[in-house]
Amino acid sequence: MARRSDHSREELREMAITAAEQIVVEQGYEGLSARKVATAIGYTVGTLYLVFENLDDLILHINARTLDRLHAHMNESQLHCGDASDCLLQLGQVYIRFADEDPHRWAMVFEHRFSEDQVVPVWFQEKIARMFALVEKGLEPLAEQHTRDEITQASRALWGGVHGICILALAGNLGVAGVDSVQDLTKTLITNYLKGFTNN
Amino acid sequence: MARRSDHSREELREMAITAAEQIVVEQGYEGLSARKVATAIGYTVGTLYLVFENLDDLILHINARTLDRLHAHMNESQLHCGDASDCLLQLGQVYIRFADEDPHRWAMVFEHRFSEDQVVPVWFQEKIARMFALVEKGLEPLAEQHTRDEITQASRALWGGVHGICILALAGNLGVAGVDSVQDLTKTLITNYLKGFTNN
DNA sequence: TTATTAAATGAACGCTGTTCAATTAAGAGT
DNA sequence: ACTCTTAATTGAACAGCGTTCATTTAATAA
């Protein structure tokens, strides 16, 4: 059926996402454009729009991959990590390191605002939820006297916190320089929070 | 000396900033453009560039005003606020309420990424620092056994945390809806953090 | 060899930030 | 009053953006 298809639709999507990721890594979100991606994969703009709804759609898929990698790192860190609070600290460290080492892709996940009519698909929301689930799981052993809801609440508060430090620090708004200082801040937050959370 | 000056340079800047604020409030950061601002004040694009270096420069001044208002609210909340931990809770509530009531202007302060060669002026950094100073001041009464550095560190961690909850919640990434839930999360974070911070 | 049809193109539209030669008009000098 | 000077203001121009879609191209089926 297919005509002049050097690549299938799926291959094209794959190529486009990969090329776009490269551009984001090198030039940041600002440097990304439909024409650049098209050129990079040896096609023209029009083709890109046969395979993606629009740029937001492409970005969504890049972000999905970033979240997958982030989740893999976080998950991996939980396999061998000592006691419960060590595990949560690990989780924080991994999060910060990831953001520091791949700032452009990380930033795009959390800073890109999709146009209002663009609905965030469920499968994407689940990738975010999965991250919080890891935190929740890490909190469980420390929360014998807490309800399920309290644990959920705590995981959101704690991870919101880690995320906030990460964002402010990378934007240079925390008056700290270097990853190590950010790691220290995260440790401060998690440690103190856990102390309060457990000593009820 | 001046020719055809219906408005002085300073008046022009004032008008432009005010008009731009209005656009951001109504249409968000995405809706802001040099031509729109120029039209709104009855001038053309060229004039805007006589009075601002570029769009980033204009945005910086809008953000400065937003930070001033935020600081005023936060500061005001500290005048009559009970004991030390109540005061810090107040600070958090005010921060969240501000972001919720003026999301577009608040978001622009923390989400707009200035072009790399644009140096963030010291007077602007000071407006950020001033906010953290308020938190630091709020922490002091609770930190008799802590050093100055520890208090600074704690204020950054805690406020990074509040900020993170705020960002994630407003972006819809925390699985919570409504300001009240965000306020609850903030309370959770601050309360537990303070418990850990004080019970050393 | 031709007809069919999906794949791919690229010009076009309306927008963006930014620049700067050209125009306009207010005040000074006569 | 008229001209000259000069600062204020304009708006066309440039290169880029996201997005659309009539047109062209080429691989297959007949």
Side-chain angles (χ1 to χ4, degrees):
Chain A
M1 305 273 174
R3 305 299 138 83
R4 198 199 333 186
S5 40
D6 292 344
H7 307 96
S8 72
R9 292 276 146 135
E10 209 40 62
E11 283 173 326
L12 235 52
R13 286 169 68 89
E14 182 66 29
M15 288 161 64
I17 296 173
T18 305
E21 278 189 293
Q22 197 56 35
I23 293 171
V24 172
V25 166
E26 286 166 3
Q27 313 178 40
Y29 159 67
E30 249 80 85
L32 186 67
S33 86
R35 285 172 179 81
K36 278 188 196 169
V37 175
T39 303
I41 63 172
Y43 282 81
T44 57
V45 248
T47 304
L48 217 57
Y49 280 84
L50 294 174
V51 155
F52 293 100
E53 231 178 276
N54 48 41
L55 255 213
D56 271 3
D57 188 22
L58 172 56
I59 290 174
L60 192 77
H61 285 84
I62 301 174
N63 287 352
R65 289 210 189 162
T66 305
L67 280 176
D68 284 347
R69 282 186 301 119
L70 176 57
H71 182 264
H73 278 118
M74 288 173 72
N75 198 46
E76 204 268 338
S77 80
Q78 297 302 284
L79 300 179
H80 323 282
C81 55
D83 70 16
S85 75
D86 276 347
C87 283
L88 282 166
L89 278 173
Q90 278 286 329
L91 224 45
Q93 308 278 325
V94 167
Y95 191 80
I96 303 292
R97 198 185 319 135
F98 186 89
D100 179 65
E101 288 176 356
D102 199 352
H104 288 146
R105 278 190 283 191
W106 179 82
M108 202 166 73
V109 173
F110 295 103
E111 292 183 11
H112 176 67
R113 293 287 158 254
F114 292 92
S115 82
E116 300 218 358
D117 47 349
Q118 178 94 5
V119 272
V120 179
V122 179
W123 60 261
F124 187 84
Q125 291 175 261
E126 273 166 4
K127 286 183 192 294
I128 304 264
R130 202 172 43 165
M131 195 172 69
F132 283 94
L134 270 181
V135 182
E136 223 171 300
K137 199 166 147 204
L139 273 174
E140 271 168 21
L142 297 166
E144 282 123 2
Q145 45 193 330
H146 293 82
T147 65
R148 173 92 263 142
D149 276 2
E150 285 172 333
I151 299 177
T152 303
Q153 175 94 339
S155 73
R156 285 169 177 164
L158 183 57
W159 217 248
V162 171
H163 177 75
I165 289 175
C166 201
I167 280 230
L168 287 183
L170 265 69
N173 284 330
L174 268 188
V176 298
V179 212
D180 293 345
S181 325
V182 189
Q183 297 284 21
D184 284 349
L185 279 181
T186 312
K187 194 172 174 183
T188 298
L189 182 76
I190 296 179
T191 310
N192 279 321
Y193 185 90
L194 289 185
K195 246 190 272 178
F197 185 67
T198 51
N199 293 6
N200 248 353
Chain B
M1 305 273 174
R3 307 297 137 86
R4 198 199 333 185
S5 41
D6 292 345
H7 307 95
S8 71
R9 293 273 147 132
E10 208 41 61
E11 281 173 327
L12 236 52
R13 288 170 67 90
E14 182 67 28
M15 289 161 65
I17 295 173
T18 304
E21 279 189 293
Q22 196 57 34
I23 293 171
V24 171
V25 167
E26 286 165 6
Q27 313 178 40
Y29 160 66
E30 249 79 87
L32 186 67
S33 85
R35 283 172 180 82
K36 278 189 195 168
V37 175
T39 303
I41 62 172
Y43 282 80
T44 58
V45 248
T47 304
L48 217 55
Y49 281 83
L50 293 175
V51 155
F52 293 101
E53 230 178 278
N54 49 38
L55 255 212
D56 272 2
D57 187 22
L58 171 57
I59 290 173
L60 192 77
H61 284 84
I62 301 174
N63 287 352
R65 289 210 188 161
T66 306
L67 280 176
D68 283 347
R69 281 185 304 117
L70 176 56
H71 182 265
H73 278 116
M74 289 173 71
N75 197 47
E76 203 268 340
S77 80
Q78 297 302 284
L79 300 179
H80 322 283
C81 56
D83 70 15
S85 74
D86 276 348
C87 283
L88 282 167
L89 277 173
Q90 278 287 330
L91 223 45
Q93 308 277 325
V94 166
Y95 190 81
I96 303 293
R97 197 185 319 134
F98 186 90
D100 178 66
E101 287 176 356
D102 199 352
H104 288 147
R105 277 190 283 191
W106 178 81
M108 202 165 74
V109 172
F110 295 104
E111 293 183 10
H112 177 66
R113 293 285 158 258
F114 292 91
S115 82
E116 301 219 357
D117 48 349
Q118 179 94 6
V119 272
V120 180
V122 178
W123 60 261
F124 187 84
Q125 291 174 262
E126 273 166 3
K127 287 183 192 294
I128 304 264
R130 201 173 42 164
M131 195 173 68
F132 283 95
L134 270 181
V135 182
E136 224 173 298
K137 199 167 149 203
L139 273 173
E140 269 169 20
L142 297 166
E144 281 124 1
Q145 43 193 332
H146 294 81
T147 65
R148 173 93 262 142
D149 277 0
E150 284 172 333
I151 299 177
T152 302
Q153 175 93 338
S155 73
R156 286 169 175 165
L158 184 57
W159 217 248
V162 171
H163 177 75
I165 289 175
C166 200
I167 280 229
L168 286 183
L170 265 70
N173 285 330
L174 267 188
V176 298
V179 210
D180 293 344
S181 325
V182 189
Q183 298 283 20
D184 284 350
L185 279 181
T186 311
K187 194 173 172 181
T188 297
L189 182 76
I190 295 179
T191 310
N192 278 321
Y193 185 91
L194 288 186
K195 248 190 271 177
F197 185 68
T198 51
N199 293 5
N200 248 354

